[in-house]
Amino acid sequence: MGKHWKQSVESDGIARLILDKAESSVNTLSREVLEELELELTEIANKNPTGLIFASGKSNGFIFGAEIKEFGQIDNAQEGTDAVLRGQALLNQMEDLPFPTVAIINGTALGGGLELALACNYRLAADTHDKTLGLPEIRLGIHPGLGGTVRTVRLTGAPTALDLMLTGRSISPRKAMDIGLIDGIAPPEDLDQVAATYICNRPKQARAPWYLRILNIRILRLLVARALEKKVAKRAPRAHYPAPYAIINLWRQYGGRDKAAYNAEAASFGRLLISSSSKNLVRVFFLRERLRNLAPRKNKVARLHVIGAGVMGGDIAAWCAAKGLEVTLQDTTEELVEMALKRANKIFSRLLRAPGEAQAAQKRLIMDAEGLQARSADIVIEAIVEKLDAKQNLFRNLESNISPDTLIATNTSSIRLEDMAEVLEYPERFVGLHFFNPVSRLPLVEVIKGEKSARDSLQIAMSFVMQIGKLPLPCKSAPGFLVNRILAPYMMEALEAFKDGYCSETIDAAARNFGMPVGPVELADRVGLDVALNVSTILQGISSGKNGSDILRKKVDLGQFGAKTGHGFYHYKNNRAQRRKHFPTPDTQLQDRLILGMLNQAVACLEESIVEELEFLDAGAIFGAGFPPFTGGPIKYAQEMGINKIVERLTQLSEEFGPRFHPHPGWNRLARLRL
Ligand code: NAI
């Protein structure tokens, strides 16, 4: 019996190899797991069974992928290449066994886990609508390294294989069967029996159909690869994200065939693994894990009451109902709640695809215009208009109607928690839960500690955020919290640049070239110029000496609130910004103004302990403000660029553009830290 693998040969003559990774809640392919597999395979081959079934001993899935922690131990390309060459040799050994092999996939099979299954002759998966199968390596700045770039092409044809690897998306077992990645699905309890029939009957092994294999002709590969590269370049510039280009290149050169394709995969994997892009994306992976596990997963919330059925309240309610909570929704009139319920239905049909799930969520989201159900809620979230007196009035009446241990949360983006808490009898159960717009797409929620918020209340709030599948970021109560604080100089500098004569398109291009997902001008339009004006007023003096609120005020006075009114800095058609095709190329100084202002603000936030740890700052900036993941976050980026260089550049900018670029004194302390 091995430490991780359990081997048996049953009376039917079939060997079974079960992975139940020791001291781990999930199966991952660590070096030790793979080394042990090699020994097990040799032993099984000597027993000459009629077939071999691979399965998982964990009820939560098959294999989640490689042991990502081990990536950090590799710091030269050859070492990375050698590690995957050993893994490839092992999987090839499996593939060449003289008896049939079947993988039973009882749930999640990702990355290396799926690659292991691909090296079996047949794959069977437990029937579920969950998207359990995928090759998400691209999200870590690498690509499959255990033969996945070769075997997916062989099984599904190049278009599907490349799509899976380039997007890193997961698919359901049914979809995987449609595209030829797996051979069958069955109820979990039948899988072993079905696997045994595959071994007895040895049906023909799957292969991509001929019309897809034709695409592997060299001349077609050259053409398709070029088109794909163009498409990828729009989303992921080569300099920031080399992995997608490496995937396309492997296919262009080798067409997913022969030994050379495996060797090239290994060499390319080794190179990518030590790239700064991959190292930083791995860091982002662990930052996400860190936030995901910040609080104990107890205190399950069953009932939520949301007050304010507007843009935020309506969407928060919908999201939570989609995640299984019973939610009541309150506003000043039934019509307003009705409108939010209609919007919620759209969110449900997008998020919940399995039969009956969307309808079940609809049932969980209940109209409660008068707020009669607040008393039975575990948490009440306030998301009404951003006015202190309105919020205080609401809290005054609310508290007498709910039990003293119900948590009260506000979604305010700019009002001091302490001011709102003044009217509360039990301010210790009051916290901020700052969601971002659009709620269903943005993963972060800032969990705000007011002066009087109790530790327990914060823990409940954090567990709740985790329960609904979002990432909690603990923040101090201070204007703008973390994310808006970082974004303010970004947007305000864009307005300054606008005043200096740059056009919106050029300004946004400067930021997008750096890797920001949305340029600052479009971001202001999306946030709403009325909201941006409000935020700029509140953050005035913190983010920048100057600010562009005069331009914002002009736009707001004209009724141009941005995307929501169809007019802002851009015109919007079907919610898409209408951009000029031709505009001046941005210069590096413009990019520096936009990005270095954010970095300077990030350092200020760190010095003021807006977040308690440096890692939280990078995490908040990436998951909340969209700071490019390939950089590892603003602080990591500054360290990589060289802090002295950044400080020097900020000094130059401050000489030219004024004190808003004065390097924050916190840079000195940062220069002494190492990430
Ligand atoms: P909104 O104007 O879309 O919705 C506010 C809703 O509250 C309206 O439906 C209104 O009828 C209702 N309301 C007003 N007074 C009420 C009362 N006394 N009782 C019950 N309902 C009442 O506003 P939005 O944008 O949803 O903002 C809500 C809160 O979320 C604000 O505190 C805002 O600062 C915050 N926030 C807004 C973000 C955004 O992008 N819009 C992002 C993050 C936070």
Side-chain angles (χ1 to χ4, degrees):
M1 243 354 127
K3 178 173 169 195
H4 306 292
W5 295 90
K6 311 278 175 280
Q7 184 202 124
S8 64
V9 181
E10 311 281 322
S11 53
D12 54 8
I14 298 174
R16 284 163 176 84
L17 201 43
I18 315 284
L19 177 59
D20 189 359
K21 191 175 178 220
E23 293 142 30
S24 170
S25 57
V26 294
N27 284 334
T28 52
L29 295 180
S30 62
R31 184 184 292 230
E32 204 182 75
V33 165
L34 289 171
E35 281 170 2
E36 200 182 301
L37 175 59
E38 194 172 352
L39 299 176
E40 299 285 349
L41 283 181
T42 315
E43 223 178 90
I44 289 180
N46 287 338
K47 292 181 184 166
N48 204 14
T50 36
L52 170 61
I53 295 176
F54 281 91
S56 158
K58 311 262 189 219
S59 57
N60 60 5
F62 184 61
I63 302 172
F64 280 66
E67 183 57 63
I68 298 169
K69 271 191 228 117
E70 290 180 357
F71 288 179
Q73 298 158 7
I74 295 175
D75 44 27
N76 80 66
Q78 192 56 48
E79 225 183 297
T81 300
D82 290 346
V84 289
L85 279 174
R86 277 196 300 277
Q88 284 185 359
L90 178 63
L91 264 51
N92 291 344
Q93 183 190 338
M94 266 172 60
E95 199 169 44
D96 294 341
L97 286 169
F99 40 80
T101 50
V102 186
I104 290 184
I105 304 172
N106 64 323
T108 306
L110 295 175
L114 183 57
E115 288 181 281
L116 184 139
L118 294 179
C120 292
N121 301 129
Y122 310 104
R123 286 153 295 285
L124 302 172
D127 194 4
T128 163
H129 286 276
D130 295 345
K131 296 180 174 174
T132 46
L133 312 175
L135 294 166
E137 287 87 346
I138 193 106
R139 296 187 184 152
L140 299 177
I142 50 177
H143 53 59
L146 299 179
T149 63
V150 182
R151 292 193 180 96
T152 44
V153 173
R154 191 171 74 200
L155 284 167
T156 70
T160 308
L162 289 167
D163 174 64
L164 279 180
M165 291 186 282
L166 289 173
T167 60
R169 73 194 168 98
S170 291
I171 55 174
S172 67
R174 271 168 203 270
K175 174 82 184 165
M177 205 167 86
D178 287 349
I179 62 174
L181 200 63
I182 64 171
D183 302 276
I185 48 180
E189 62 278 12
D190 296 346
L191 282 167
D192 188 76
Q193 201 195 337
V194 181
T197 49
Y198 269 77
I199 287 174
C200 291
N201 300 340
R202 301 186 182 207
K204 196 165 176 290
Q205 285 182 48
R207 205 177 153 204
W210 64 268
Y211 54 87
L212 290 176
R213 294 205 300 272
I214 288 178
L215 267 183
N216 272 358
I217 297 170
R218 194 176 145 72
I219 179 76
L220 286 180
R221 287 206 309 265
L222 294 179
L223 290 172
V224 174
R226 195 181 314 152
L228 272 175
E229 277 177 349
K230 267 198 186 153
K231 201 169 148 201
V232 167
K234 287 193 188 137
R235 283 183 292 132
R238 193 188 285 263
H240 301 161
Y241 298 98
Y245 300 90
I247 292 172
I248 297 169
N249 198 36
L250 284 174
W251 177 69
R252 173 177 27 219
Q253 289 202 345
Y254 302 96
R257 269 196 307 260
D258 307 331
K259 188 154 177 24
Y262 287 100
N263 288 339
E265 178 192 86
S268 168
F269 183 96
R271 278 193 300 273
L272 289 174
L273 194 63
I274 56 145
S275 67
S276 122
S277 175
S278 171
K279 294 266 176 219
N280 285 332
L281 290 171
V282 168
R283 171 177 158 78
V284 173
F285 173 86
F286 285 114
L287 291 178
R288 179 182 275 117
E289 288 301 293
R290 179 88 208 282
L291 296 190
R292 250 193 204 148
N293 294 301
L294 270 182
R297 285 173 194 270
K298 50 178 187 184
N299 306 317
K300 279 247 173 215
V301 173
R303 283 264 302 105
L304 173 71
H305 183 75
V306 180
I307 310 179
V311 176
M312 295 305 289
D315 284 14
I316 293 169
W319 176 266
C320 294
K323 292 289 164 181
L325 274 71
E326 191 174 300
V327 186
T328 43
L329 184 55
Q330 172 184 348
D331 205 302
T332 47
T333 66
E334 287 198 353
E335 289 70 39
L336 287 167
V337 180
E338 196 62 57
M339 273 159 57
L341 297 185
K342 279 202 186 120
R343 272 202 337 266
N345 289 344
K346 283 197 189 143
I347 295 177
F348 296 150
S349 50
R350 182 163 58 80
L351 295 179
L352 307 170
R353 294 287 171 87
E357 268 189 0
Q359 289 80 347
Q362 277 175 25
K363 279 205 187 119
R364 287 193 292 268
L365 180 53
I366 301 158
M367 147 110 64
D368 179 21
E370 292 173 59
L372 301 176
Q373 302 305 320
R375 66 170 62 90
S376 60
D378 303 309
I379 300 187
V380 173
I381 298 181
E382 168 280 311
I384 69 167
V385 278
E386 189 71 341
K387 288 196 178 124
L388 177 62
D389 55 347
K391 294 199 194 255
Q392 282 187 335
N393 274 339
L394 179 91
F395 290 136
R396 250 186 227 111
N397 298 328
L398 176 72
E399 225 181 1
S400 53
N401 284 328
I402 57 175
S403 90
D405 45 43
T406 303
L407 185 82
I408 305 179
T410 173
N411 186 46
T412 184
S413 34
S414 60
I415 301 176
R416 275 167 43 88
L417 261 68
E418 293 69 25
D419 294 343
M420 284 182 267
E422 270 175 14
V423 300
L424 289 174
E425 194 176 337
Y426 303 106
E428 59 278 6
R429 47 108 157 240
F430 182 58
V431 300
L433 280 177
H434 188 222
F435 288 78
F436 294 90
N437 183 12
V439 174
S440 62
R441 295 195 191 271
L442 294 178
L444 197 79
V445 178
E446 289 173 322
V447 179
I448 317 297
K449 178 182 183 314
E451 250 166 36
K452 298 204 170 143
S453 314
R455 204 168 164 268
D456 276 3
S457 307
L458 290 161
Q459 290 273 313
I460 296 171
M462 303 270 278
S463 310
F464 162 70
V465 173
M466 283 153 44
Q467 182 186 337
I468 58 167
K470 298 274 180 199
L471 301 172
L473 183 78
C475 287
K476 193 164 96 175
S477 166
F481 313 128
L482 180 75
V483 172
N484 284 346
R485 186 76 190 270
I486 292 181
L487 284 177
Y490 178 58
M491 289 197 274
M492 290 305 140
E493 197 54 34
L495 299 182
E496 293 302 327
F498 194 78
K499 282 202 247 170
D500 294 346
Y502 288 103
C503 68
S504 304
E505 286 85 350
T506 300
I507 299 170
D508 280 352
R512 282 206 311 275
N513 289 350
F514 178 73
M516 294 297 289
V518 185
V521 180
E522 183 173 350
L523 184 64
D525 268 356
R526 297 272 169 204
V527 167
L529 300 184
D530 49 338
V531 178
L533 178 61
N534 192 11
V535 173
S536 84
T537 315
I538 287 158
L539 295 181
Q540 202 166 8
I542 291 179
S543 62
S544 60
K546 266 175 150 191
N547 77 66
S549 26
D550 39 346
I551 311 180
L552 288 176
R553 197 174 301 282
K554 262 189 218 150
K555 293 261 177 206
V556 170
D557 288 346
L558 288 169
Q560 298 179 353
F561 290 4
K564 59 187 165 189
T565 57
H567 293 280
F569 286 95
Y570 294 106
H571 289 300
Y572 289 81
K573 230 189 229 167
N574 299 327
N575 202 26
R576 287 180 85 109
Q578 304 299 300
R579 290 195 179 81
R580 263 175 283 212
K581 283 222 162 60
H582 303 287
F583 52 85
T585 312
D587 51 69
T588 51
Q589 186 182 62
L590 176 59
Q591 191 179 76
D592 285 352
R593 285 171 65 182
L594 298 173
I595 304 304
L596 297 196
M598 269 197 286
L599 295 189
N600 212 20
Q601 197 59 237
V603 172
C605 289
L606 204 57
E607 285 298 297
E608 291 167 35
S609 305
I610 302 295
V611 284
E612 277 171 10
E613 292 182 30
L614 197 148
E615 279 199 340
F616 291 169
L617 199 133
D618 276 346
I622 291 171
F623 302 127
F627 203 82
F630 77 89
T631 61
I635 304 294
K636 182 78 198 317
Y637 173 75
Q639 297 234 1
E640 254 178 48
M641 286 292 108
I643 293 204
N644 290 342
K645 225 170 109 189
I646 302 261
V647 170
E648 216 171 90
R649 186 72 187 114
L650 276 167
T651 310
Q652 283 166 1
L653 289 174
S654 73
E655 279 158 12
E656 194 164 341
F657 297 99
R660 65 182 184 279
F661 286 108
H662 268 333
H664 192 278
W667 285 107
N668 292 332
R669 193 173 71 86
L670 206 57
R672 294 193 296 272
L673 292 177
R674 241 334 327 129
L675 287 187

